[in-house]
Amino acid sequence: MFSRITMSRSHLKGLAGAKTAITNVQADLLKRFPGGGGLRGTWNGNILTVNGSNVSGTIAVTDSLVRVDLKLTGTAMFTKGLVEGEIQKYLESYL
């Protein structure tokens, strides 16, 4: 059993600027949540694959769009609304 979060956000930063912004979001999350829930990310081209405790998925970046697709399992499923809200805030702030 799992819960999915999917959202997209357009931006004007270009591909390199958006990748930098998403990398900064990841770094900020690790600072904000010590250990980051084991959250790790690996870039493969323009896709950041993220894995952590009860969270996995991708963040795909283009020159004009960022698409988030995450799968929440375990206890993270019960915080879906909170996680969606936090992601939206970060995207608005960084993009």
Side-chain angles (χ1 to χ4, degrees):
M1 183 173 211
F2 65 90
S3 184
R4 186 168 299 281
I5 294 175
T6 302
M7 65 177 67
S8 297
R9 172 118 174 129
S10 59
H11 66 84
L12 300 173
K13 290 190 172 281
L15 182 60
K19 284 179 75 171
T20 297
I22 296 302
T23 299
N24 291 339
V25 167
Q26 181 186 14
D28 194 32
L29 285 171
L30 290 174
K31 284 183 211 168
R32 185 170 172 202
F33 301 104
L39 185 64
R40 300 288 176 255
T42 305
W43 283 102
N44 183 12
N46 299 328
I47 298 174
L48 178 65
T49 300
V50 294
N51 290 293
S53 178
N54 298 319
V55 179
S56 64
T58 59
I59 302 173
V61 179
T62 72
D63 60 343
S64 61
L65 187 75
V66 171
R67 179 174 168 77
V68 177
D69 186 18
L70 299 176
K71 184 167 75 170
L72 307 177
T73 60
T75 57
M77 290 187 311
F78 302 108
T79 62
K80 178 182 177 181
L82 176 66
V83 173
E84 281 179 317
E86 287 297 307
I87 292 169
Q88 191 64 37
K89 283 183 203 175
Y90 274 101
L91 293 178
E92 288 173 7
S93 175
Y94 282 88
L95 295 175

